[in-house]
Amino acid sequence: AQTVTQSQPEMSVQEAETVTLSCTYDTSESNYYLFWYKQPPSRQMILVIRQEAYKQQNATENRFSVNFQKAAKSFSLKISDSQLGDTAMYFCAFMNRDDKIIFGKGTRLHILP
Amino acid sequence: KAGVTQTPRYLIKTRGQQVTLSCSPISGHRSVSWYQQTPGQGLQFLFEYFSETQRNKGNFPGRFSGRQFSNSRSEMNVSTLELGDSALYLCASSLGAALSYEQYFGPGTRLTVT
């Protein structure tokens, strides 16, 4: 069965610092999608970044980038120049070819002023 | 463009009762997915509807059901409620049928079962 593991339940960093959130997954499939979602306190969840497994190039969205290591089954999220508005719960998610999506338990990120 | 709306936002029910939650997708979106979020189990996929048809389902008992109407609005029903059904229920809409399309989430319905 596919699993998604986020090993850091909670993290705190100072504003303007760079932070990396870890995510590992387990699958025997070769083609799949990976996502990072952000759920701010009392606000709606939004998609941060998406990566297709067959694409070698790491996805980036402004200050957010991923380090996708397919062989290691690792999909970490890097947030550069962190801002107070980045404070949120971050979920890593895996979607297989059957369109079944599995989420990690989440990492609660605090950006400190 | 209005976002995804969910009603009601909060709900308190008693064990054994049933409940219906509603989700209105973004205009033009034809896919609606439902998720359950609990502190213990985290976020879990319930099901996805596209053009009034359930095209995907997670590992939940048959007490959890849903439907989608011709205007893409969706409802989720939970029968014979259990304490463990207390959760935040999220719905998300997207343009296409596959979950790989960007999903837009609603604010959720907080269900408490007593």
Side-chain angles (χ1 to χ4, degrees):
Chain A
Q2 286 107 354
T3 57
V4 177
T5 302
Q6 293 180 248
S7 59
Q8 306 145 313
E10 198 157 0
M11 298 179 72
S12 296
V13 296
Q14 294 295 136
E15 194 176 6
E17 288 185 347
T18 294
V19 60
T20 299
L21 281 57
S22 301
C23 174
T24 58
Y25 58 94
D26 188 26
T27 183
S28 57
E29 299 181 18
S30 59
N31 195 21
Y32 46 86
Y33 289 87
L34 294 162
F35 308 86
W36 278 99
Y37 280 94
K38 168 185 177 181
Q39 188 176 38
S42 303
R43 292 182 61 188
Q44 286 154 244
M45 191 150 69
I46 58 172
L47 176 67
V48 175
I49 206 163
R50 173 175 61 203
Q51 175 82 41
E52 295 169 73
Y54 64 87
K55 290 188 176 178
Q56 299 289 337
Q57 189 173 3
N58 289 325
T60 62
E61 285 290 339
N62 301 313
R63 298 182 294 107
F64 298 86
S65 61
V66 296
N67 183 5
F68 174 46
Q69 301 288 328
K70 192 172 184 179
K73 296 178 184 174
S74 171
F75 183 62
S76 60
L77 174 71
K78 185 172 84 170
I79 306 173
S80 303
D81 186 26
S82 57
Q83 300 174 359
L84 296 178
D86 296 332
T87 291
M89 193 76 161
Y90 287 82
F91 293 97
C92 176
F94 166 96
M95 189 189 77
N96 65 8
R97 60 184 174 183
D98 293 330
D99 286 348
K100 294 265 175 85
I101 190 164
I102 301 163
F103 291 89
K105 294 290 188 187
T107 294
R108 190 174 299 279
L109 177 65
H110 303 276
I111 307 299
L112 306 173
Chain B
K1 195 180 262 190
V4 177
T5 57
Q6 292 186 245
T7 55
R9 294 291 312 278
Y10 302 91
L11 204 49
I12 300 175
K13 289 285 188 178
T14 304
R15 269 181 302 174
Q17 288 186 316
Q18 76 165 18
V19 67
T20 299
L21 312 181
S22 180
C23 173
S24 293
I26 290 172
S27 177
H29 285 193
R30 296 169 65 192
S31 170
V32 173
S33 299
W34 287 90
Y35 300 87
Q36 181 195 65
Q37 186 174 16
T38 62
Q41 298 298 317
L43 260 170
Q44 294 182 281
F45 170 69
L46 278 155
F47 29 66
E48 181 200 3
Y49 285 86
F50 180 79
S51 292
E52 302 178 66
T53 301
Q54 186 183 90
R55 64 176 299 275
N56 217 337
K57 190 177 188 306
N59 297 323
F60 277 81
R63 300 185 297 106
F64 292 81
S65 63
R67 59 178 175 168
Q68 186 180 34
F69 302 95
S70 58
N71 61 359
S72 294
R73 189 178 70 86
S74 178
E75 286 182 348
M76 191 193 94
N77 185 275
V78 187
S79 62
T80 319
L81 284 165
E82 301 176 0
L83 294 178
D85 298 332
S86 293
L88 180 67
Y89 289 89
L90 298 171
C91 96
S93 74
S94 62
L95 276 171
L99 288 176
S100 56
Y101 281 82
E102 180 167 356
Q103 295 191 81
Y104 295 82
F105 283 80
T109 293
R110 172 79 60 189
L111 172 65
T112 302
V113 181
T114 61

